[in-house]
Amino acid sequence: MTEFPHLFQPLDLGFTTLKNRVLMGSMHTGLEEEKNGFYRLAKFYAERARGQAALIVTGGIAPNRRGWLVPFGAKMANSSDARRHIEITEAVHQEGGKICMQILHAGRYSYHPFAVAPSAIKAPISPFKPWKMSQGTINSTINDFATSASLARDAGYDGIEIMGSEGYLINQFLTSRTNKREDKWGDDFDHRMQFPLEIIRRTREKVGKDFIIIYRLSMLDLVDEGQSWQEVETLARAVEREGVSLINTGIGWHEARIPTIAMMVPRGEFAWVTQRLKGKVKIPLITTNRINGPEMAEKILSQGFADMVSMARPFLADPEIVLKSMQSRQSEINTCIACNQACLDHIFDKKVASCLVNPLACRETEIQITAASQFKKIAVIGAGPAGLSFAFYAAQRGHKVTIYDQQSEIGGQLNMAKKVAGKEEFYETLRYFDVQLKKWNVTIKLNTRISIEEMKSSEFDEWVVATGVLPRRIELEGIHHSKVVMYNDVLTGRVVTGKTVAIIGAGGIGVDTARYLLGEEKNFEEKWSVDRSYAHRGGITSAHKTNEPERKIYLLQRRKGKPGAGLGKTTAWIHRLELKIDQVKFMDEVTYTKVDDEGLHIVHNEQAQLLKVDHVIICAGQHSERTLYNQLQASGKKSHLIGGANVASELNAKRAIEEGMRLGIII
């Protein structure tokens, strides 16, 4: 009997049956706009279908040019567009899977000057003010949605998902925040909801009854002037009457100032809002957001929160997440850690998405793991992310790999990151590497410091140096005072700081150190003003309230600008807002004068100041640890340098894991 009976129960939609309760949710990968991108997408989706996803939803495809997310973005508007998609649907069907195309009109989120919206109100996250849609434009847009769905059917899709959430065009019609119209498409909710209902109505007429239509319903807008719960429920019943097959849960507008899919969001945090709709409609409900493993998925289904679960980025991290769960191989699942660094951050930088923990994602046609032409004995110095990644990929190819590390556990710098509140998911990454290295017979020698003499006399064919980084010290009067400590001493627990602390350096390490000192995460909903009672529109109570933190923290930097400037685009705002909520005092353009018994002396705004602190923590960057590599090079041993030992710019696990992978597949 399966460990996940609810997860692997088929779902009968009447005209078709889904083989389990796992939806691979929509993700834009960037391949949609790449040269040869549809060939690559076909391989990407086929691998996930082979991994037993019951139903896949593509990234958002615009129904017309005005609906583009970006200029020349993917669209489904004519037969030529449809022919390009056949490659995708055939690849998925050959693996026994089903796939729906998501139709997404970006509305005022369109990143081009021809954006349209129900009202000419600029979005806070876009530089372009949209044009107000005329009656004719509204009608033609509705027809374009229906035409796009019909073309998707022609291309072989099993259905479509209509994107009605996340603050895109349909969502913009539904709230007074963005819809100030006084005609039949605005004024009150009964009028505002006619736009999505007419889209569904005309779409169902075009595609027939035996075609899946998913409606992505914004159940929790998380913005002021968002929908009330009564409106959400009214719309759900109405879309059911118009012939929708499934309702998928949408959480938060993109402009909302509440994290919804980042690492600090608790697993399954928003399933409660889907449960709130259970029993109000008869069609199946899909819940979503931060469901990254079979255990959480099974719990949600078994407790009646939803009929199906959506996992999007977990399929980037591991295309076999469902298959491994079916085979009771959960320990081998490469878990999505919700870091956003290689997926969403890449998309916002106009790069093809991938995955920090699985750099093969979206590179299925570029990178294959093949047996080595010559098997070698390889030593790896350092069990941080770069060394672990290299060992994993090299061992799969047949090499005999031994890892040496002077610490008592694998992980390197990740062992500090995992202790920061909100970053506990890194435990999963280390669990995955530990399981995989044992599976591929990698020898791990911990608590071992290997000398150059031992290296010279060894029988290894090649050496891989992944010794990581060391904290960079700064020139400062009093730098050796007992108040001064390095960040690694704090994050490893070797030093317990006092109640008042100054952190020198407001990059990623400085922000993480502040977060660590603030202690365990508070109640998520209370901290971020999420209103589970739904007494307020949009499901938010008020502006974020400040907490009374355990420590008074000063976060300082020499340069002008915001803290965490090097952090990813999709998470930096969260970390800055967290610091504000926890009353961290940020100061930029600071000159450090000295440290003495009184505290840290600085100059700020041309004024000398004394910060009476118990400790001063140095977070001023890192430098590469290359001593062993230089010695190996001098001795003539064939050696390679990867990870932080190669480039020390912040602590970049994404780069380290990818560097390890790229060396591992060619050595």
Side-chain angles (χ1 to χ4, degrees):
M1 183 177 177
T2 177
E3 298 172 65
F4 309 108
H6 296 84
L7 193 61
F8 298 121
Q9 182 180 357
L11 181 60
D12 185 3
L13 299 181
F15 58 90
T16 190
T17 299
L18 305 181
K19 57 189 173 185
N20 58 55
R21 301 301 177 99
V22 180
L23 177 87
M24 176 180 160
S26 174
M27 292 176 288
H28 195 78
T29 66
L31 293 173
E32 295 84 355
E33 290 79 35
E34 283 285 297
K35 183 180 180 181
N36 212 27
F38 277 66
Y39 168 71
R40 294 172 64 183
L41 276 171
K43 299 296 184 184
F44 171 77
Y45 288 128
E47 186 168 350
R48 276 74 191 167
R50 191 161 55 249
Q52 300 303 305
L55 182 61
I56 294 169
V57 179
T58 70
I61 307 295
N64 54 36
R65 290 182 179 179
R66 286 186 179 271
W68 275 339
L69 275 166
V70 294
F72 306 102
K75 64 179 176 61
M76 179 69 90
N78 53 51
S79 57
S80 177
D81 293 333
R83 284 193 293 272
R84 298 178 67 207
H85 285 255
I86 293 173
E87 188 170 19
I88 292 174
T89 58
E90 287 184 345
V92 169
H93 292 154
Q94 285 172 7
E95 297 296 344
K98 296 182 188 294
I99 186 167
C100 291
M101 188 189 82
Q102 185 187 82
I103 305 176
L104 183 155
H105 191 301
R108 73 175 191 158
Y109 284 173
S110 297
Y111 205 80
H112 56 73
F114 308 109
V116 295
S119 299
I121 303 171
K122 180 181 169 297
I125 59 174
S126 173
F128 300 104
K129 183 178 179 179
W131 298 85
K132 179 181 176 180
M133 297 172 76
S134 67
Q135 295 270 355
T137 302
I138 291 174
N139 191 58
S140 64
T141 300
I142 293 169
N143 285 332
D144 288 343
F145 267 89
T147 298
S148 188
S150 180
L151 289 167
R153 178 158 195 160
D154 293 343
Y157 283 102
D158 301 283
I160 51 102
E161 178 175 74
I162 297 171
M163 172 50 101
S165 67
E166 264 73 10
Y168 292 115
L169 179 68
I170 292 175
N171 218 169
Q172 292 161 25
F173 265 91
L174 291 168
T175 76
S176 59
R177 177 185 180 89
T178 45
N179 185 347
K180 305 297 184 182
R181 305 177 74 95
E182 296 179 351
D183 58 12
K184 68 177 184 178
W185 305 106
D187 190 32
D188 60 22
F189 189 73
D190 283 344
H191 287 109
R192 293 198 299 268
M193 75 174 183
Q194 292 309 309
F195 184 69
L197 296 183
E198 192 59 35
I199 287 172
I200 297 166
R201 194 175 297 134
R202 295 188 200 178
T203 297
R204 182 55 82 190
E205 288 174 359
K206 279 234 179 187
V207 299
K209 294 182 179 180
D210 59 341
F211 192 67
I212 298 170
I213 297 180
I214 307 169
Y215 183 77
R216 183 79 168 266
L217 174 68
S218 186
M219 295 189 197
L220 194 65
D221 289 337
L222 298 178
V223 291
D224 293 330
E225 297 182 77
Q227 296 171 96
S228 69
W229 177 253
Q230 183 180 359
E231 290 169 350
V232 170
E233 195 175 307
T234 298
L235 180 58
R237 289 194 177 108
V239 301
E240 179 182 34
R241 286 195 299 270
E242 295 300 338
V244 163
S245 313
L246 300 128
I247 293 177
N248 197 0
T249 302
I251 302 293
W253 289 34
H254 287 312
E255 64 202 71
R257 296 294 87 183
I258 296 169
T260 56
I261 58 173
M263 192 184 293
M264 72 287 298
V265 179
R267 294 185 184 184
E269 166 60 30
F270 296 103
W272 63 267
V273 76
T274 313
Q275 184 192 36
R276 192 181 177 106
L277 195 59
K278 282 281 286 182
K280 310 297 184 184
V281 293
K282 295 178 181 178
I283 57 176
L285 300 178
I286 306 165
T287 197
T288 186
N289 285 47
R290 287 291 282 128
I291 303 166
N292 65 348
E295 296 85 1
M296 176 57 68
E298 177 68 19
K299 179 180 179 181
I300 286 169
L301 294 172
S302 66
Q303 294 182 356
F305 279 53
D307 303 290
M308 195 171 191
V309 295
S310 172
M311 293 190 280
R313 293 174 302 165
F315 280 96
L316 280 178
D318 196 329
E320 293 186 331
I321 182 172
V322 178
L323 180 62
K324 289 176 180 178
S325 303
M326 294 171 67
Q327 297 172 344
S328 298
R329 296 163 54 210
Q330 298 90 271
S331 66
E332 293 186 40
I333 292 173
N334 196 359
T335 302
C336 168
I337 60 173
C339 65
N340 292 5
Q341 292 181 36
C343 49
L344 293 177
D345 285 350
H346 274 211
I347 293 301
F348 277 86
D349 283 333
K350 297 180 175 60
K351 300 175 183 176
V352 173
S354 188
C355 178
L356 180 148
V357 299
N358 176 26
L360 300 180
C362 297
R363 293 165 172 157
E364 289 77 13
T365 62
E366 298 176 9
I367 301 171
Q368 286 83 37
I369 301 174
T370 57
S373 58
Q374 176 186 353
F375 298 146
K376 302 173 183 176
K377 291 179 65 178
I378 303 172
V380 181
I381 310 300
L388 296 173
S389 177
F390 168 81
F392 170 50
Y393 289 101
Q396 286 183 72
R397 298 183 58 234
H399 296 305
K400 180 64 177 175
V401 182
T402 301
I403 299 179
Y404 295 91
D405 197 288
Q406 61 189 12
Q407 301 301 320
S408 60
E409 58 183 340
I410 65 170
Q413 302 281 333
L414 293 185
N415 287 319
M416 289 187 283
K418 72 187 184 185
K419 296 178 181 178
V420 176
K423 289 196 167 186
E424 295 87 353
E425 291 287 10
F426 278 117
Y427 279 99
E428 297 289 356
T429 302
L430 296 178
R431 180 264 312 152
Y432 173 73
F433 274 126
D434 185 52
V435 170
Q436 291 295 338
L437 295 183
K438 289 173 181 174
K439 176 180 177 180
W440 295 101
N441 298 315
V442 173
T443 301
I444 303 174
K445 296 188 176 183
L446 299 174
N447 299 305
T448 302
R449 184 188 295 270
I450 189 167
S451 67
I452 186 62
E453 288 73 22
E454 291 172 298
M455 293 179 179
K456 289 178 181 178
S457 62
S458 73
E459 297 180 355
F460 290 108
D461 299 306
E462 297 186 33
W463 293 81
V464 174
V465 179
T467 42
V469 297
L470 294 173
R472 179 180 287 114
R473 291 189 172 272
I474 61 173
E475 295 294 326
L476 175 65
E477 184 181 341
I479 191 66
H480 298 296
H481 193 282
S482 59
K483 286 180 180 287
V484 179
V485 296
M486 304 303 290
Y487 72 82
N488 57 328
D489 290 321
V490 175
L491 294 177
T492 56
R494 289 193 292 266
V495 172
V496 178
T497 67
K499 293 296 184 181
T500 307
V501 174
I503 299 173
I504 292 180
I509 298 299
V511 170
D512 272 359
T513 302
R515 183 72 255 142
Y516 173 80
L517 292 174
L518 290 166
E520 294 182 3
E521 282 281 13
K522 311 298 186 294
N523 178 279
F524 178 85
E525 290 156 18
E526 180 180 338
K527 177 176 181 176
W528 293 100
S529 303
V530 176
D531 178 18
R532 191 179 278 223
S533 72
Y534 229 125
H536 302 79
R537 282 189 167 273
I540 54 173
T541 55
S542 62
H544 303 302
K545 300 175 183 177
T546 56
N547 294 325
E548 289 300 324
E550 295 179 8
R551 285 181 170 88
K552 183 176 182 180
I553 298 174
Y554 298 92
L555 187 59
L556 316 172
Q557 68 181 27
R558 293 183 190 274
R559 66 176 181 272
K560 183 178 181 179
K562 298 175 181 178
L567 297 171
K569 287 187 177 182
T570 60
T571 53
W573 69 267
I574 302 173
H575 296 299
R576 283 193 280 268
L577 189 50
E578 280 190 305
L579 297 178
K580 182 178 179 181
I581 291 171
D582 286 315
Q583 300 189 55
V584 173
K585 173 69 173 176
F586 172 66
M587 303 167 76
D588 64 347
E589 296 187 276
V590 175
T591 299
Y592 312 115
T593 306
K594 66 177 180 178
V595 179
D596 60 19
D597 290 345
E598 290 186 287
L600 175 62
H601 297 259
I602 65 171
V603 176
H604 185 240
N605 294 332
E606 300 181 352
Q607 298 290 320
Q609 295 184 38
L610 168 64
L611 304 182
K612 295 182 178 181
V613 296
D614 301 311
H615 285 94
V616 178
I617 305 174
I618 308 299
C619 299
Q622 305 82 28
H623 63 85
S624 298
E625 173 49 75
R626 298 181 178 176
T627 305
L628 285 177
Y629 177 73
N630 294 335
Q631 291 174 333
L632 279 167
Q633 289 288 89
S635 70
K637 291 284 187 180
K638 190 169 184 179
S639 53
H640 310 268
L641 191 65
I642 59 173
N646 183 30
V647 179
S649 58
E650 287 289 342
L651 296 182
N652 194 327
K654 180 185 75 171
R655 189 191 66 243
I657 290 173
E658 181 170 346
E659 278 189 17
M661 177 272 292
R662 291 199 177 276
L663 179 61
I665 64 172
I666 63 171
I667 196 167

